[in-house]
Amino acid sequence: MRVFSIGVALIVLTFAVVISLNRSRNEVKTVPSWDGFENVYLDNVEEEEETSTTRSNGLDYDFYRNTCPHAESIVRSKVAEIFSRHSNVSAALLRLFFHDCFVKGCDASIILDGSKGDRSNFTERQALPNRTLKGFDIIDFIKEEVEKACPGVVSCADILALAARDGVLLVGGPFYPVFTGRRDSIQSYYNEAVAEIPNPDGNITETLRLFALKGFDEKETVSLLGAHNIGKISCEFIQSRLYDFLGTGQPDPSIPLDFLNEMRINCQQNHNNSNDGSPTAASQFQLEADVFQQLTSISSGDAFDNHFYQKLVRRRGLLFSDQQLMADERTARFVMDYALDDGSAFRTDFARVMLRMSMLDVLTGSQGQVRTKCSLPLDSS
């Protein structure tokens, strides 16, 4: 039965890729709601394949076609295998990729682990915004399989980028091309992770500022945050909204009473046991799995559609920072557009902005390295 499930997941993923590519070549001009996305980007992909022209940022489509031709299919099959048993892998990989790209670019620095060597240096994984991230073991597993086929060739950064895209496809999200050729960072950036990853309690001004630092405008910010339509959100991140909003000792007054009660029941956590959320030096070194097991979580959704925006319009966003998208006209108008659409506008825009994010400040050429074990730089492997 397990083999059957894996086969079905792989067929679904492959079918989704083929359909997306065929639409880009044959149908996009007759489907106005797709706004030409596939035509714009996938036609460029075909041109890349035909001319073998390297992109200005050093990435290329099917970068490993000569050095490791089966790399992408290995990633695809392993993500499908895991998805067949754990459908929440899509949200985990997507969040892991976002947190990686938002700190010094898409370089797999988020995966580096301080469990070996000098523990006086914190890593990104230990930063407060990253303490509930999952999926590190998945990337390690996929990397091991790729290493068997092509030792020392395919970067962890590329594996994470490809796996995140394939996870999006498996959960019903849109296809977007992933250019490859990234190299891995040799260091992790704890301080930058603390300062530059958007805070779930942040107001709209702060959220827009942090996204703008990465080159994203208001519409792109709204599109990217639509990734919260799948997966689960730790109750740690909404606890203050439920019991002590902005230190008032009261819940966030913007939350409808019925929704407040629903979240409190789902989280099942006594607010008397809450803390100030500031990690001590000791707690920073707790294993991610141990930290996550101590927390309860609440589902943000299972389908990759526009229900996230519809909930925001009804004031039922889980995170304060998400609900804040309705607090400013610069973002609220895009939330309304997505909420009232049939979902195609969001999917098109999400694919566009994911393609952009996947190329943020990448390391290429002789920069960085290609790790053989994703959690450790080469000199520590």
Side-chain angles (χ1 to χ4, degrees), residues 210-323:
L210 291 173
F211 274 81
L213 287 176
K214 307 303 175 185
F216 298 115
D217 61 23
E218 291 88 352
K219 183 177 183 179
E220 292 169 326
T221 298
V222 174
S223 300
L224 269 179
L225 287 176
H228 288 167
N229 66 2
I230 57 171
K232 294 183 178 181
I233 293 174
S234 168
C235 288
E236 179 185 44
F237 296 127
I238 62 175
Q239 198 69 12
S240 62
R241 290 194 78 197
L242 305 185
Y243 299 104
D244 189 24
F245 183 64
L246 300 179
T248 62
Q250 300 295 322
D252 180 353
S254 69
I255 304 176
L257 184 58
D258 63 327
F259 188 47
L260 174 65
N261 292 333
E262 178 184 329
M263 286 195 291
R264 283 178 168 176
I265 292 172
N266 284 332
C267 280
Q268 296 177 347
Q269 185 169 337
N270 190 330
H271 69 278
N272 293 325
N273 294 329
S274 64
N275 54 52
D276 62 3
S278 301
T280 63
S283 69
Q284 287 286 355
F285 289 113
Q286 290 180 346
L287 292 175
E288 174 266 333
D290 293 337
V291 173
F292 194 83
Q293 288 171 2
Q294 297 171 14
L295 304 171
T296 52
S297 59
I298 184 170
S299 175
S300 57
D302 298 314
F304 206 97
D305 54 29
N306 62 343
H307 71 267
F308 169 76
Y309 302 104
Q310 294 171 347
K311 289 180 178 179
L312 295 184
V313 172
R314 293 160 44 215
R315 298 189 298 149
R316 301 178 82 85
L318 292 175
L319 297 177
F320 176 72
S321 57
D322 286 345
Q323 192 57 56

Side-chain angles (χ1 to χ4, degrees), residues 1-14 16 74-94 138 141-142 163-173 230-231 301-304:
M1 183 59 119
R2 177 182 163 189
V3 174
F4 177 77
S5 298
I6 295 172
V8 170
L10 185 55
I11 290 171
V12 169
L13 179 54
T14 304
I74 293 172
V75 174
R76 187 179 307 125
S77 66
K78 294 306 170 183
V79 173
E81 177 182 335
I82 298 168
F83 181 85
S84 69
R85 291 172 291 167
H86 306 286
S87 60
N88 60 348
V89 66
S90 298
L93 290 173
L94 185 55
I138 296 169
F141 167 66
I142 298 173
R165 189 276 310 279
D166 292 342
V168 167
L169 269 173
L170 279 168
V171 82
I230 57 171
D302 298 314
F304 206 97

Side-chain angles (χ1 to χ4, degrees), residues 309-361:
Y309 302 104
Q310 294 171 347
K311 289 180 178 179
L312 295 184
V313 172
R314 293 160 44 215
R315 298 189 298 149
R316 301 178 82 85
L318 292 175
L319 297 177
F320 176 72
S321 57
D322 286 345
Q323 192 57 56
Q324 277 281 289
L325 293 176
M326 287 297 294
D328 191 306
E329 175 58 30
R330 289 175 296 173
T331 50
R333 62 193 182 102
F334 297 119
V335 173
M336 292 296 298
D337 287 345
Y338 290 150
L340 296 174
D341 185 69
D342 62 1
S344 59
F346 160 60
R347 292 166 61 84
T348 297
D349 291 342
F350 182 80
R352 287 179 187 275
V353 75
M354 282 298 294
L355 176 58
R356 278 202 59 204
M357 188 182 76
S358 70
M359 296 188 286
L360 277 179
D361 300 325

Side-chain angles (χ1 to χ4, degrees), residues 118-191:
D118 184 5
R119 286 194 171 192
S120 64
N121 296 317
F122 289 149
T123 63
E124 289 173 46
R125 291 172 69 157
Q126 296 157 334
L128 181 61
N130 297 333
R131 279 168 49 195
T132 59
L133 287 177
K134 304 180 79 175
F136 299 103
D137 54 342
I138 296 169
I139 299 302
D140 284 338
F141 167 66
I142 298 173
K143 173 65 170 176
E144 290 176 5
E145 296 301 311
V146 173
E147 283 293 301
K148 292 175 184 177
C150 314
V153 174
V154 182
S155 69
C156 300
D158 276 341
I159 289 174
L160 177 54
L162 290 165
R165 189 276 310 279
D166 292 342
V168 167
L169 269 173
L170 279 168
V171 82
F175 173 86
Y176 58 92
V178 172
F179 294 89
T180 44
R182 296 167 188 77
R183 305 266 289 180
D184 299 324
S185 173
I186 61 174
Q187 67 183 101
S188 191
Y189 304 95
Y190 172 85
N191 292 329

